[in-house]
C-alpha cells in the first residue's frame, strides 16, 4: 500500500514522489526516483510533497476488483471499532483524524469509469472533506452507524474513509483501496500522536 511504503521509506531516511509510488510499483522502478529525505522526525508522509496531476495507474488489486464490475463498488470496505480510555470531545477527535489523514494523497483519490476502463485521479477540490463524520444519537447502535457510514463512502466523489463516535467507541470504515492491515496500524499511530499533543485527550484501540 502507498501509505506503508511511503512511511517505511521516510523512517529509513528516503523520499520518493507520490506519483512515483503509483507509476513504479517495483523496487527496480522506484530505485531511480528515491532521494535522501529530511528525517528529523518520524512523521508520516511529508504533506508538502507536490501532489500528482492527471490519471494514475491502477494497482493490480484495483484492476482485479473493478474488472468484475461489482454492483456496489463503494462497499468493498474494512472496519474497526476503537474503545477510548476516556471521553474525547468530538471536535477534538474529528480534528485529530483529519490531521492524521491529511498527509496521505491516497485519501484524496477518486475513481471514474471511462470508455477505456476505470481510472483514478486526485480529487480536483483539494478542500473537500477527507472524512465522512457522524456523531451518533443516543439510541443508535454500532451496527447501524457502520451501515450509515458505509453508505457515505464514494469511489467517484469521496470520501473513502468515515468515522462515527458513540460514547467512548469510535467506528472507522474505509475502502479497501486505501487501507490494509499495515496501513490501519500506521493511521492509528498517527491518530494517537495527534490526540496526545498538549491539550488533547488520549485514546487506545481495541478491535
Amino acid at each position: 500500500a502507498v501509505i506503508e511504503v511511503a512511511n517505511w521509506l521516510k523512517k529509513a531516511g528516503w523520499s520518493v514522489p507520490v506519483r512515483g509510488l503509483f507509476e513504479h510499483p517495483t523496487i527496480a522502478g522506484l530505485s531511480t526516483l528515491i532521494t535522501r529525505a529530511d528525517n528529523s522526525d518520524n512523521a508520516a508522509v511529508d504533506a508538502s510533497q507536490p501532489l500528482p496531476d492527471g490519471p494514475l495507474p491502477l494497482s493490480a488489486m484495483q484492476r482485479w476488483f473493478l474488472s468484475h464490475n461489482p454492483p456496489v463498488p463503494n462497499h468493498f470496505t474494512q472496519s474497526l471499532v476503537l474503545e477510548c480510555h476516556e471521553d474525547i470531545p468530538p471536535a477534538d477527535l474529528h480534528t485529530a483524524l483529519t490531521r492524521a489523514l491529511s498527509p496521505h494523497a491516497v485519501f484524496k483519490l477518486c475513481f471514474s469509469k471511462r470508455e477505456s476502463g476505470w481510472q483514478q485521479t486526485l480529487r480536483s477540490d483539494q478542500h473537500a472533506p477527507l472524512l465522512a463524520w457522524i456523531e451518533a444519537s443516543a439510541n443508535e447502535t454500532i451496527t447501524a452507524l457502520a451501515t450509515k457510514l458505509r453508505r457515505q463512502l464514494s469511489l467517484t466523489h469521496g470520501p473513502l474513509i468515515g468515522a462515527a463516535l458513540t460514547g467512548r467507541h469510535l467506528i472507522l470504515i474505509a475502502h479497501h483501496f486505501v487501507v490494509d492491515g499495515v496501513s490501519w496500524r500506521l493511521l492509528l499511530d498517527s491518530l494517537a500522536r495527534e490526540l496526545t499533543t498538549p491539550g488533547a485527550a488520549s485514546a487506545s484501540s481495541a478491535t
Side-chain angles (χ1 to χ4, degrees), residues 34-186:
I34 293 176
T35 58
R36 283 287 183 183
D38 177 7
N39 200 29
S40 57
D41 58 33
N42 285 328
V45 184
D46 185 358
S48 65
Q49 289 188 45
L51 296 178
D53 296 320
L56 298 165
L58 297 174
S59 70
M61 184 272 286
Q62 290 170 340
R63 287 195 301 272
W64 172 85
F65 175 73
L66 294 171
S67 70
H68 287 76
N69 296 311
V72 190
N74 297 330
H75 292 183
F76 184 47
T77 59
Q78 291 187 4
S79 60
L80 295 176
V81 178
L82 314 179
E83 185 173 0
C84 306
H85 281 318
E86 59 187 76
D87 293 330
I88 302 176
D92 289 355
L93 187 54
H94 181 273
T95 297
L97 277 166
T98 301
R99 287 175 60 87
L101 296 171
S102 62
H104 303 292
V106 68
F107 294 106
K108 303 177 178 73
L109 289 172
C110 61
F111 297 78
S112 57
K113 191 172 186 179
R114 307 295 177 88
E115 289 185 3
S116 58
W118 284 87
Q119 70 176 28
Q120 62 178 334
T121 57
L122 286 169
R123 280 183 272 167
S124 57
D125 181 3
Q126 292 301 308
H127 299 290
L130 297 178
L131 180 71
W133 175 257
I134 296 175
E135 290 185 35
S137 59
N139 60 345
E140 285 187 287
T141 66
I142 289 176
T143 300
L145 286 167
T147 299
K148 188 184 294 186
L149 269 178
R150 190 172 290 109
R151 289 172 179 164
Q152 293 194 16
L153 302 186
S154 171
L155 280 179
T156 305
H157 304 292
L160 298 175
I161 186 169
L165 183 64
T166 174
R168 290 188 177 182
H169 289 93
L170 172 65
I171 306 162
L172 291 171
I173 292 184
H175 200 278
H176 249 299
F177 283 4
V178 296
V179 295
D180 58 18
V182 175
S183 51
W184 271 127
R185 177 178 57 78
L186 295 171

Side-chain angles (χ1 to χ4, degrees), residues 6-16 34-39:
N7 273 279
W8 287 336
L9 286 171
K10 184 169 180 63
K11 288 181 179 180
W14 300 94
S15 178
V16 66
I34 293 176
T35 58
R36 283 287 183 183
D38 177 7
N39 200 29

